[in-house]
Amino acid sequence: MRILLTNDDGIHAPGMAVLERIARALSDDITIVAPNSERSGAGRSLTLTRPLRLRQLGEKRFAVAGTPTDAVMMALARVMKDAPPELILSGVNRGANLGEDVSYSGTVSAAMEGALAGIPSIALSQVYAREGAGPNVSFAAAEAWGEKVLRPLLDAPWAPRSLYNVNFPAREPEQVLGIRVVPQGLRDYGQTEILQRTDPRGFDYYWIKLAGMPSTPAHSTDLEAAADGWVTVTPLHCDMTNHAALAATTALYR
């Protein structure tokens, strides 16, 4: 099985090394095409106003001076054109991609690009609990549970243009409760903060601090399941149509 690896933290990120070890438990035919530096929060953005640079760093290992979506496009159209991947894995992201994170996440967007091309694609992210963890985020849960969560998905039927979003909880591997399939949650964005600071020259700058987690009945979403200690698996699809509203909206124009 040919597997393409990518991410949004950059090709040299610790999570990429973790992902490669997970992938090599599934196949020895691995190609890496990833951004040359961190592109967190890039979403499905494309580089359209400047040239893209592709640099080979080693055997089947390429860095793209662009976004995660650029990287997947470059992999499919150039690097792996004659032997397309049969599976795309994106991650392991440093930090959660839960709830509405999926609409901002470069990790999920890379998997979405694969799904749009008809290739089974999975985004993987490692939650961490402590603010300001810097480079000290532990990927132990992802490392221990990665193969366990991926193998059943490889044998599952895949709907057209669909993908899976996987998050590993901020726990030691032996403390993980198991794997739960859950829907995407939604944070209370009324709690989002814009933190203001002042630089040494006296100019203001800002950091976005995302909202906290609401509670839903039975702790039923990816946000709460991950916080409770589960590996979460959420099926996603690229069709953003609100099918439930189609009939009512059509009636407005009759």
Side-chain angles (χ1 to χ4, degrees):
M1 175 172 56
R2 289 184 302 278
I3 304 178
L4 168 64
L5 306 186
T6 192
N7 67 2
D8 74 354
D9 286 335
I11 194 165
H12 300 297
M16 175 58 77
V18 173
L19 184 64
E20 185 172 0
R21 290 193 289 272
I22 293 170
R24 291 200 181 279
L26 306 173
S27 172
D28 60 2
D29 191 350
I30 306 295
T31 300
I32 300 173
V33 184
N36 63 350
S37 61
E38 183 174 351
R39 296 292 195 275
S40 295
R44 294 204 62 238
S45 61
L46 295 170
T47 301
L48 300 176
T49 58
R50 60 178 175 80
L52 279 176
R53 306 290 182 182
L54 178 70
R55 181 183 178 193
Q56 184 164 3
L57 303 181
E59 184 179 0
K60 294 186 176 182
R61 189 178 185 90
F62 300 83
V64 177
T67 69
T69 300
D70 292 333
V72 174
M73 285 187 164
M74 189 70 77
L76 300 183
R78 300 289 300 182
V79 176
M80 304 182 74
K81 181 179 180 180
D82 297 328
E86 298 163 282
L87 174 68
I88 296 176
L89 301 177
S90 179
V92 177
N93 190 64
R94 177 189 175 278
N97 276 309
L98 299 162
E100 70 291 335
D101 291 346
V102 302
S103 64
Y104 302 116
S105 167
T107 304
V108 175
S109 294
M112 188 174 291
E113 191 63 33
L116 286 168
I119 300 167
S121 301
I122 303 170
L124 303 100
S125 302
Q126 175 65 64
V127 183
Y128 63 90
R130 184 170 63 86
E131 285 191 26
N136 301 315
V137 171
S138 172
F139 288 86
E143 188 112 36
W145 284 82
E147 183 182 355
K148 296 176 186 177
V149 73
L150 288 178
R151 284 202 179 275
L153 294 178
L154 300 183
D155 298 328
W158 288 64
R161 294 179 175 82
S162 66
L163 61 144
Y164 287 96
N165 185 35
V166 174
N167 281 268
F168 301 96
R171 292 195 175 192
E172 293 302 316
E174 64 276 8
Q175 297 174 329
V176 174
L177 300 180
I179 299 169
R180 285 187 67 181
V181 179
V182 287
Q184 176 185 347
L186 183 66
R187 291 184 181 88
D188 179 2
Y189 257 71
Q191 298 179 23
T192 296
E193 297 180 63
I194 304 295
L195 305 179
Q196 181 176 337
R197 301 286 188 269
T198 303
D199 71 20
R201 298 192 301 157
F203 293 97
D204 291 339
Y205 65 93
Y206 304 88
W207 286 101
I208 297 174
K209 182 178 180 182
L210 296 180
M213 182 185 71
S215 178
T216 57
H219 272 207
S220 59
T221 74
D222 58 355
L223 288 164
E224 293 140 325
D228 288 344
W230 297 87
V231 177
T232 66
V233 178
T234 301
L236 303 173
H237 58 75
C238 301
D239 180 0
M240 297 179 68
T241 306
N242 183 347
H243 291 276
L246 277 175
T249 307
T250 301
L252 296 175
Y253 298 97
R254 288 177 178 164

